[in-house]
Amino acid sequence: MTMHNIVNQEQWVAQRKALLVREKEVMRQQDQLARERRALPWVKVDKQYVFDTQQGKRSLSDLFEGRRQLVVQHFMFAPGQERGCAHCSYMADHTDGALPHLSQRDVSLVVVSRAPLASLQRMREEMGWQFKWVSSGDSDFNYDFDVSFAPEELAQGEVYYNYIGQPFPHEDAPGVSVFYQDDAGVVYHTYSTFGRGVEVMMHTYRLLDLTPLGRNEDALPYTMAWVKHHDRYQQAPAAKSCCTHA
């Protein structure tokens, strides 16, 4: 950390008020961006997707649970893995507290992974999570929404992720997708975000951005190298990155 200027309270307030002008400008820009996001056209979801849930087989429409809007966290957890991605877990750690507030705004949230339901439930219990976590392993859902990649795609050295062709080191990737269901039960895909866009679920980062040291990641071997499953912070150093956060 570089040495900062030390000033009196009057000087500090003057500089803080100057920064506040910039903060308000950025907030207005974010408000406008949100309006433009909501104005995007929608795509009708014609394919029937089936998910394994604690209540049995369910459709995408069922996951709305009677609400009109659905947010999906695409959680990296492939069949055969012991645990899902630590970075996706970091996202999921912020979810449970938001659920009652989202439901008041006509929004359901569900986490989706390709691993078998039994694996998801085991990790969910280990982590103390309460949100709904379902398996898409028997459907094309992950592939159709560009967060899972076939072996032949990976072998070519480039996959379609975050709206471009790029190298990617894993068979699954993180993302957030949003859907709307109308009164007739028709489901539409309205939005998806990937890469750094998934920071929308990382409230801890928003708080770190307020602190003097910030995220403090510049000297790390890769972004988010410090992040672990929350029950493993007292164990060995973080493992190799499980996703690209860029």
Side-chain angles (χ1 to χ4, degrees):
M1 182 177 179
T2 57
M3 186 60 185
H4 275 62
N5 290 334
I6 306 301
V7 298
N8 60 37
Q9 180 68 10
E10 182 179 356
Q11 292 170 318
W12 183 88
V13 169
Q15 294 195 38
R16 177 65 189 93
K17 289 173 70 173
L19 180 61
L20 181 60
V21 172
R22 285 282 295 118
E23 288 177 336
K24 289 185 176 182
E25 177 185 347
V26 170
M27 287 180 182
R28 287 191 291 270
Q29 292 173 349
Q30 290 174 337
D31 290 342
Q32 177 58 31
L33 188 61
R35 287 189 286 269
E36 293 176 19
R37 184 183 299 118
R38 292 192 295 271
L40 282 172
W42 297 352
V43 177
K44 183 180 177 182
V45 180
D46 290 316
K47 185 179 288 190
Q48 297 300 311
Y49 299 103
V50 177
F51 303 87
D52 285 325
T53 81
Q54 286 184 287
Q55 293 74 39
K57 300 289 186 180
R58 293 291 186 269
S59 68
L60 180 61
S61 178
D62 292 331
L63 300 184
F64 283 78
E65 297 186 323
R67 301 183 182 94
R68 289 181 296 176
Q69 301 168 101
L70 175 69
V71 175
V72 170
Q73 179 192 353
H74 301 287
F75 191 118
M76 296 170 64
F77 195 168
Q81 293 181 336
E82 176 189 356
R83 264 190 167 192
C85 168
H87 297 172
C88 293
S89 298
Y90 177 56
M91 295 166 61
D93 280 335
H94 300 81
T95 296
D96 282 339
L99 293 178
H101 305 291
L102 289 172
S103 68
Q104 289 299 310
R105 306 311 299 160
D106 203 16
V107 178
S108 291
L109 187 149
V110 65
V111 179
V112 177
S113 299
R114 290 192 303 121
L117 182 62
S119 298
L120 307 184
Q121 287 303 113
R122 182 179 65 250
M123 183 175 178
R124 181 174 173 268
E125 292 174 6
E126 291 171 353
M127 302 296 281
W129 293 327
Q130 300 299 313
F131 55 74
K132 183 181 289 293
W133 198 355
V134 304
S135 173
S136 62
D138 292 331
S139 79
D140 296 327
F141 183 76
N142 279 46
Y143 298 97
D144 290 349
F145 289 94
D146 303 318
V147 289
S148 290
F149 316 110
E152 53 269 27
E153 294 179 274
L154 293 169
Q156 292 173 358
E158 184 175 283
V159 301
Y160 183 73
Y161 180 61
N162 206 10
Y163 305 106
I164 62 171
Q166 59 175 299
F168 199 82
H170 305 289
E171 56 188 317
D172 288 336
V176 178
S177 290
V178 183
F179 302 88
Y180 182 88
Q181 184 168 230
D182 66 16
D183 293 340
V186 179
V187 175
Y188 302 89
H189 176 220
T190 68
Y191 184 72
S192 285
T193 188
F194 311 98
R196 287 199 64 180
V198 303
E199 286 187 12
V200 67
M201 294 187 65
M202 299 177 180
H203 179 57
T204 298
Y205 263 153
R206 300 280 80 80
L207 295 177
L208 289 175
D209 287 342
L210 302 180
T211 65
L213 295 181
R215 302 185 184 190
N216 200 19
E217 295 179 330
D218 292 345
L220 298 179
Y222 55 87
T223 302
M224 298 183 75
W226 61 276
V227 174
K228 300 181 190 179
H229 298 103
H230 67 240
D231 61 345
R232 294 184 175 176
Y233 274 117
Q234 301 304 317
Q235 299 181 20
K240 182 180 178 182
S241 175
C242 58
C243 61
T244 300
H245 187 54

